[in-house]
Short mmCIF file of all heavy atoms in Angstrom, two decimals:
data_model
loop_
_atom_site.label_atom_id
_atom_site.label_comp_id
_atom_site.label_asym_id
_atom_site.label_seq_id
_atom_site.Cartn_x
_atom_site.Cartn_y
_atom_site.Cartn_z
N TYR A 278 -1.95 -0.09 13.41
CA TYR A 278 -2.01 -0.87 14.64
C TYR A 278 -2.93 -2.07 14.52
O TYR A 278 -2.66 -3.12 15.13
CB TYR A 278 -2.36 0.03 15.83
CG TYR A 278 -1.10 0.74 16.29
CD1 TYR A 278 -0.78 1.99 15.79
CD2 TYR A 278 -0.19 0.08 17.11
CE1 TYR A 278 0.42 2.60 16.13
CE2 TYR A 278 1.00 0.68 17.45
CZ TYR A 278 1.30 1.94 16.97
OH TYR A 278 2.49 2.51 17.29
N ALA A 279 -3.96 -1.95 13.70
CA ALA A 279 -4.84 -3.10 13.48
C ALA A 279 -4.05 -4.22 12.80
O ALA A 279 -4.19 -5.40 13.14
CB ALA A 279 -6.04 -2.69 12.63
N ALA A 280 -3.18 -3.85 11.86
CA ALA A 280 -2.36 -4.85 11.15
C ALA A 280 -1.41 -5.54 12.12
O ALA A 280 -1.18 -6.75 12.05
CB ALA A 280 -1.59 -4.20 10.01
N LEU A 281 -0.85 -4.76 13.06
CA LEU A 281 0.08 -5.35 14.04
C LEU A 281 -0.66 -6.27 15.01
O LEU A 281 -0.21 -7.37 15.31
CB LEU A 281 0.81 -4.24 14.80
CG LEU A 281 1.71 -3.33 13.95
CD1 LEU A 281 2.39 -2.30 14.84
CD2 LEU A 281 2.75 -4.14 13.19
N ASN A 282 -1.81 -5.79 15.48
CA ASN A 282 -2.59 -6.62 16.40
C ASN A 282 -3.03 -7.92 15.74
O ASN A 282 -3.04 -8.98 16.37
CB ASN A 282 -3.83 -5.86 16.90
CG ASN A 282 -3.43 -4.85 17.96
OD1 ASN A 282 -2.44 -5.05 18.66
ND2 ASN A 282 -4.18 -3.78 18.05
N HIS A 283 -3.38 -7.81 14.46
CA HIS A 283 -3.80 -8.99 13.72
C HIS A 283 -2.66 -10.01 13.66
O HIS A 283 -2.87 -11.21 13.82
CB HIS A 283 -4.27 -8.59 12.32
CG HIS A 283 -4.89 -9.72 11.56
ND1 HIS A 283 -5.97 -10.43 12.01
CD2 HIS A 283 -4.54 -10.29 10.38
CE1 HIS A 283 -6.27 -11.38 11.14
NE2 HIS A 283 -5.41 -11.32 10.15
N ALA A 284 -1.45 -9.50 13.45
CA ALA A 284 -0.27 -10.40 13.39
C ALA A 284 -0.07 -11.09 14.74
O ALA A 284 0.24 -12.29 14.80
CB ALA A 284 0.97 -9.61 12.99
N ALA A 285 -0.25 -10.35 15.85
CA ALA A 285 -0.10 -10.95 17.19
C ALA A 285 -1.15 -12.05 17.39
O ALA A 285 -0.85 -13.12 17.94
CB ALA A 285 -0.23 -9.88 18.27
N ILE A 286 -2.37 -11.79 16.93
CA ILE A 286 -3.44 -12.79 17.08
C ILE A 286 -3.12 -14.04 16.25
O ILE A 286 -3.32 -15.17 16.70
CB ILE A 286 -4.81 -12.18 16.69
CG1 ILE A 286 -5.23 -11.17 17.75
CG2 ILE A 286 -5.87 -13.26 16.51
CD1 ILE A 286 -6.36 -10.27 17.36
N GLN A 287 -2.54 -13.83 15.06
CA GLN A 287 -2.15 -14.99 14.25
C GLN A 287 -1.06 -15.80 14.95
O GLN A 287 -1.05 -17.03 14.88
CB GLN A 287 -1.71 -14.54 12.86
CG GLN A 287 -2.92 -14.14 12.00
CD GLN A 287 -2.51 -13.50 10.69
OE1 GLN A 287 -1.94 -12.41 10.68
NE2 GLN A 287 -2.77 -14.17 9.59
N GLY A 288 -0.15 -15.11 15.65
CA GLY A 288 0.87 -15.81 16.44
C GLY A 288 0.22 -16.64 17.54
O GLY A 288 0.59 -17.80 17.76
N GLU A 289 -0.77 -16.06 18.22
CA GLU A 289 -1.47 -16.79 19.28
C GLU A 289 -2.17 -18.03 18.72
O GLU A 289 -2.18 -19.09 19.34
CB GLU A 289 -2.52 -15.88 19.93
CG GLU A 289 -1.92 -14.71 20.68
CD GLU A 289 -2.98 -13.84 21.33
OE1 GLU A 289 -4.06 -13.65 20.73
OE2 GLU A 289 -2.72 -13.34 22.44
N GLU A 290 -2.76 -17.86 17.52
CA GLU A 290 -3.47 -18.99 16.90
C GLU A 290 -2.50 -20.14 16.58
O GLU A 290 -2.85 -21.31 16.75
CB GLU A 290 -4.20 -18.52 15.64
CG GLU A 290 -5.48 -17.77 15.97
CD GLU A 290 -6.06 -17.02 14.79
OE1 GLU A 290 -5.42 -16.98 13.72
OE2 GLU A 290 -7.17 -16.47 14.95
N ILE A 291 -1.30 -19.79 16.14
CA ILE A 291 -0.32 -20.83 15.84
C ILE A 291 0.07 -21.57 17.13
O ILE A 291 0.16 -22.80 17.14
CB ILE A 291 0.92 -20.23 15.13
CG1 ILE A 291 0.54 -19.69 13.75
CG2 ILE A 291 2.05 -21.26 15.00
CD1 ILE A 291 -0.03 -20.71 12.78
N ALA A 292 0.26 -20.83 18.23
CA ALA A 292 0.58 -21.48 19.51
C ALA A 292 -0.52 -22.48 19.88
O ALA A 292 -0.25 -23.59 20.36
CB ALA A 292 0.75 -20.43 20.61
N SER A 293 -1.76 -22.06 19.65
CA SER A 293 -2.90 -22.91 20.00
C SER A 293 -3.00 -24.11 19.05
O SER A 293 -3.24 -25.24 19.50
CB SER A 293 -4.16 -22.05 19.97
OG SER A 293 -5.30 -22.83 19.90
N ILE A 294 -2.80 -23.89 17.75
CA ILE A 294 -2.88 -24.98 16.77
C ILE A 294 -1.81 -26.04 17.04
O ILE A 294 -2.03 -27.23 16.88
CB ILE A 294 -2.76 -24.40 15.33
CG1 ILE A 294 -4.06 -23.68 14.95
CG2 ILE A 294 -2.43 -25.49 14.31
CD1 ILE A 294 -3.95 -22.80 13.72
N PHE A 295 -0.64 -25.59 17.49
CA PHE A 295 0.43 -26.53 17.80
C PHE A 295 0.30 -27.08 19.22
O PHE A 295 1.21 -27.73 19.75
CB PHE A 295 1.81 -25.90 17.56
CG PHE A 295 2.18 -25.88 16.09
CD1 PHE A 295 1.70 -24.87 15.27
CD2 PHE A 295 2.95 -26.88 15.54
CE1 PHE A 295 2.01 -24.86 13.91
CE2 PHE A 295 3.26 -26.87 14.19
CZ PHE A 295 2.79 -25.86 13.36
N GLU A 296 -0.84 -26.78 19.83
CA GLU A 296 -1.27 -27.40 21.09
C GLU A 296 -0.31 -27.17 22.25
O GLU A 296 -0.03 -28.09 23.03
CB GLU A 296 -1.53 -28.90 20.87
CG GLU A 296 -2.69 -29.12 19.91
CD GLU A 296 -2.95 -30.60 19.60
OE1 GLU A 296 -2.17 -31.45 20.04
OE2 GLU A 296 -3.96 -30.86 18.93
N PHE A 297 0.18 -25.94 22.37
CA PHE A 297 0.93 -25.59 23.57
C PHE A 297 -0.08 -25.29 24.67
O PHE A 297 -0.85 -24.35 24.57
CB PHE A 297 1.84 -24.38 23.32
CG PHE A 297 3.01 -24.71 22.43
CD1 PHE A 297 2.97 -24.43 21.07
CD2 PHE A 297 4.14 -25.32 22.96
CE1 PHE A 297 4.05 -24.75 20.25
CE2 PHE A 297 5.22 -25.64 22.15
CZ PHE A 297 5.17 -25.35 20.78
N VAL A 298 -0.08 -26.13 25.70
CA VAL A 298 -1.07 -25.96 26.77
C VAL A 298 -0.44 -25.35 28.02
O VAL A 298 -1.14 -25.04 28.98
CB VAL A 298 -1.77 -27.28 27.12
CG1 VAL A 298 -2.63 -27.75 25.95
CG2 VAL A 298 -0.75 -28.37 27.49
N LYS A 299 0.87 -25.21 28.01
CA LYS A 299 1.55 -24.50 29.10
C LYS A 299 2.84 -23.89 28.56
O LYS A 299 3.37 -24.37 27.55
CB LYS A 299 1.81 -25.41 30.30
CG LYS A 299 2.70 -26.60 30.04
CD LYS A 299 2.84 -27.40 31.32
CE LYS A 299 3.56 -28.72 31.19
NZ LYS A 299 4.89 -28.77 30.68
N PRO A 300 3.36 -22.85 29.22
CA PRO A 300 4.60 -22.26 28.74
C PRO A 300 5.78 -23.18 29.03
O PRO A 300 5.69 -24.02 29.92
CB PRO A 300 4.70 -20.96 29.56
CG PRO A 300 3.90 -21.21 30.80
CD PRO A 300 2.82 -22.18 30.41
#
Side-chain angles (χ1 to χ4, degrees):
Y278 279 93
L281 297 181
N282 283 332
H283 187 57
I286 289 166
Q287 285 172 294
E289 294 181 323
E290 282 167 354
I291 294 300
S293 162
I294 286 166
F295 282 82
E296 296 177 353
F297 289 97
V298 293
K299 62 180 172 58

